[in-house]
Amino acid sequence: MQTECYPISILPRLSRLFLDYADSHEPLAPFFPYSPYLQQWTKQTPTHDPALRSQIADLLDEQNRGFGASGATSDNIDRLRQGAPAVVTGQQVTLFGGPLFTLFKAATAIRKAKDTGAVPIFWLATEDHDLDEADHVTLPSRHELHTLRLAHAESNRAVGKIPLGANLRVLLDQAADLLGPSPILDTLEAAYTPGATFAQAFGKLLASIFADNGLILIDAADRRYHALGAPVLRHAIEHAAELESALFERNKLLEARGYHAQVLVAPSSSLLFLIDDETGARLALKRKNEYWTTGKKSFSTPDLLAILDSAPERISPNALLRPVFQDFLLPTAAYVGGPAEIAYFAQSQVLYDAILGRTTPVIPRLSTTLIEPSVATILARHELSLDDILGSHPDDLAQRLGARSMPIEGKRKLAAAGNALDEELTTLTQWMRALDPGLGRSADVSASKMRYQMNRLRRLAANYQLQTEASLRRHIDALYLNLFPDQHPQERIIGAVAYLARYGDSLVPELIEQASQECPGHKAIFL
């Protein structure tokens, strides 16, 4: 299978912190103790309390059976129980499995685990309360994208606990029209049922997709996980001031190095949420001296500790503390993350040091654009590559193709006129600048306007060519629809099930193979 490798910076809107980390052949200290290019983490096995490991394995066995775990997954849980380390990744639970990068995360964790003798674990982020991020999926048809969104009432509950409801049937019918008959459609309909929650459906879907690969799923919203992870939550309550101070210092250092903090740390903020015992809403805990507040409710530190003892599931870690909570529960040798998650780790690192006394290495997930044969044919016909698409606006690229397809006589006339105009204007403005600097500046302005008009003639000719050859615009639209939809990377927009429907069982093994990451940047994979 043909692949092309590009620097990760080909993707838009990535933070400078992540770009520097991804490009660093040495640890980007003190934010990241390991370089993504080096494999020191493979030589280290995280220490993990055997009793805790056994309890976690019991819970994982129970949960994964509920998701329809394969024999390979059960075997991996046994290996974990017996002392194997884990390569962990995770994602919010979403409608119909969410975008392509969900597959890429799981594939990378599976590949890295396979290469190092670890087991792959996928953390289901079921405690998030942002339903607007989880209630939809985008699927392509031939000429447009379709966003399927689940109609729902406003909910304060954790997304993972929300039932999908009767409206789901309409979306399944729409997905069937877009995907066509396929095994993955059958899997979707088996997993996503009206009575299932987001967590149950998402878990069953992933368990089926990666059945042959032994992917272990964990939903840590369970009260028993929170009870086992209570030492981390207790530390965040009892040492809130010290942790806040460490984060402030880390944020200052990030800013001094020219970066910015991914998570704002305000003087009144904390690392914790409290689940309201009446509404189920997840409320940010704010701290002032020895008291904590959520809205109009106030708690002392002993009050919070009492809640942690009696109802540990009501205390929830925020985005910075969550990975520490995760890696207390699991023997994590490495975490596979996306660009934003990895940038978070630069702040979380001080929490790792303070609470666990170690920092988990982070590995960038597979980042790729999948190029189907019909799309590859268009690219080849117009001598384009992926960076042409990601680096250009559709209108600008259309102009380029229009100019390129112009008859040779027209190209020669435009080139001759442009070259002659540029030569004469250069000579003239130099002479006028020699006469008087002010006159020269005015001449430069006028010359710039003339060159603009010359470029306008080029655009007019290219636009005429585009209108004459309507297929050019159709080709441009097809390329952006498939490779860079709405000026966003394909992996962040298009639902994974669209490609699973088209390429079936062969896609997952190929992604796992490609996740070896001999290309440390962004791949184009020609299917």
Side-chain angles (χ1 to χ4, degrees), residues 43 62 124 200 242 248 273 293 417 421 476-477 492 503:
K43 302 178 178 63
E62 177 187 319
L124 304 176
Q200 291 167 341
E242 300 100 293
F248 277 140
F273 292 95
T293 60
L421 176 66
I476 290 293
D477 292 342
R492 301 201 62 83
Y503 296 96

Side-chain angles (χ1 to χ4, degrees), residues 318-395:
N318 78 348
L320 294 179
L321 186 62
R322 190 208 60 76
V324 181
F325 180 74
Q326 163 197 287
D327 294 341
F328 176 84
L329 293 173
L330 301 173
T332 309
Y335 183 82
V336 173
E341 290 173 289
I342 288 176
Y344 282 5
F345 264 74
Q347 291 170 277
S348 293
Q349 190 273 331
V350 297
L351 305 180
Y352 272 96
D353 270 357
I355 300 173
L356 300 186
R358 59 180 173 82
T359 303
T360 295
V362 285
I363 305 170
R365 64 163 170 80
L366 170 67
S367 179
T368 187
T369 298
L370 303 180
I371 301 178
E372 298 184 84
S374 60
V375 176
T377 298
I378 297 174
L379 288 172
R381 176 174 176 178
H382 298 292
E383 299 179 342
L384 297 172
S385 61
L386 182 61
D387 57 342
D388 291 314
I389 308 302
L390 272 58
S392 305
H393 188 277
D395 292 341

Side-chain angles (χ1 to χ4, degrees), residues 28-190:
L28 193 61
F31 311 123
F32 303 100
Y34 302 92
S35 162
Y37 284 89
L38 304 177
Q39 298 290 318
Q40 304 107 314
W41 66 272
T42 64
K43 302 178 178 63
Q44 301 178 14
T45 300
T47 58
H48 205 243
D49 178 67
L52 176 59
R53 181 188 286 269
S54 179
Q55 290 174 292
I56 293 295
D58 288 342
L59 291 177
L60 290 174
D61 186 61
E62 177 187 319
Q63 278 192 339
N64 282 267
R65 287 180 189 276
F67 292 132
S70 65
T73 296
S74 297
D75 290 345
N76 273 342
I77 293 173
D78 287 341
R79 291 182 56 221
L80 186 77
R81 188 191 306 276
Q82 294 164 14
V87 175
V88 183
T89 191
Q91 182 57 38
Q92 185 180 27
V93 293
T94 48
L95 185 68
F96 298 165
L100 273 164
F101 67 73
T102 301
L103 284 189
F104 301 164
K105 282 185 169 183
T108 307
I110 290 167
R111 178 57 191 256
K112 294 302 182 183
K114 179 181 176 182
D115 289 347
T116 58
V119 299
I121 298 181
F122 195 104
W123 182 283
L124 304 176
T126 58
E127 296 185 65
D128 287 352
H129 279 55
D130 194 345
L131 185 55
D132 289 337
E133 289 188 0
D135 66 356
H136 62 278
V137 69
T138 298
L139 303 176
S141 64
R142 186 174 180 182
H143 298 298
E144 60 182 318
L145 297 177
H146 304 264
T147 297
L148 311 186
R149 188 176 295 274
L150 186 63
H152 57 79
E154 291 297 321
S155 175
N156 289 324
R157 301 170 65 188
V159 171
K161 295 181 179 179
I162 298 175
L164 295 166
N167 294 324
L168 179 71
R169 185 66 253 174
V170 175
L171 295 191
L172 283 169
D173 291 342
Q174 293 174 350
D177 290 340
L178 293 166
L179 300 177
S182 63
I184 193 63
L185 180 60
D186 297 337
T187 302
L188 275 183
E189 293 189 333

Side-chain angles (χ1 to χ4, degrees), residues 264-459:
L264 177 66
V265 180
S268 62
S269 62
S270 79
L271 297 167
L272 300 167
F273 292 95
L274 179 67
I275 308 301
D276 189 270
D277 57 351
E278 297 174 359
T279 66
R282 186 173 71 158
L283 305 172
L285 278 164
K286 297 184 178 181
R287 186 185 63 85
K288 186 173 182 180
N289 299 324
E290 292 302 312
Y291 284 89
W292 308 69
T293 60
T294 57
K296 295 181 180 179
K297 295 183 179 180
S298 179
F299 306 87
S300 67
T301 294
D303 290 337
L304 280 188
L305 292 173
I307 292 173
L308 181 61
D309 289 336
S310 62
E313 71 279 7
R314 289 186 58 201
I315 307 291
S316 178
N318 78 348
L320 294 179
L321 186 62
R322 190 208 60 76
V324 181
F325 180 74
Q326 163 197 287
D327 294 341
F328 176 84
L329 293 173
L330 301 173
T332 309
Y335 183 82
V336 173
E341 290 173 289
I342 288 176
Y344 282 5
F345 264 74
Q347 291 170 277
S348 293
Q349 190 273 331
V350 297
L351 305 180
Y352 272 96
D353 270 357
I355 300 173
L356 300 186
R358 59 180 173 82
T359 303
T360 295
V362 285
I363 305 170
R365 64 163 170 80
L366 170 67
S367 179
T368 187
T369 298
L370 303 180
I371 301 178
E372 298 184 84
S374 60
V375 176
T377 298
I378 297 174
L379 288 172
R381 176 174 176 178
H382 298 292
E383 299 179 342
L384 297 172
S385 61
L386 182 61
D387 57 342
D388 291 314
I389 308 302
L390 272 58
S392 305
H393 188 277
D395 292 341
D396 295 335
L397 189 57
Q399 285 277 330
R400 232 171 92 191
L401 294 191
R404 187 186 292 175
S405 65
M406 199 180 302
I408 188 65
E409 181 183 3
K411 290 181 182 179
R412 286 173 177 168
K413 289 182 180 297
L414 284 168
N419 292 338
L421 176 66
D422 192 62
E423 182 178 346
E424 294 297 335
L425 287 176
T426 299
T427 301
L428 180 59
T429 52
Q430 287 175 347
W431 175 70
M432 297 178 79
R433 280 196 295 272
L435 290 177
D436 180 79
L439 179 63
R441 286 192 292 272
S442 298
D444 288 337
V445 171
S446 296
S448 176
K449 292 178 180 179
M450 294 180 196
R451 290 188 172 99
Y452 173 83
Q453 292 299 329
M454 185 65 233
N455 285 331
R456 186 168 182 271
L457 288 176
R458 294 187 180 99
R459 289 194 298 273

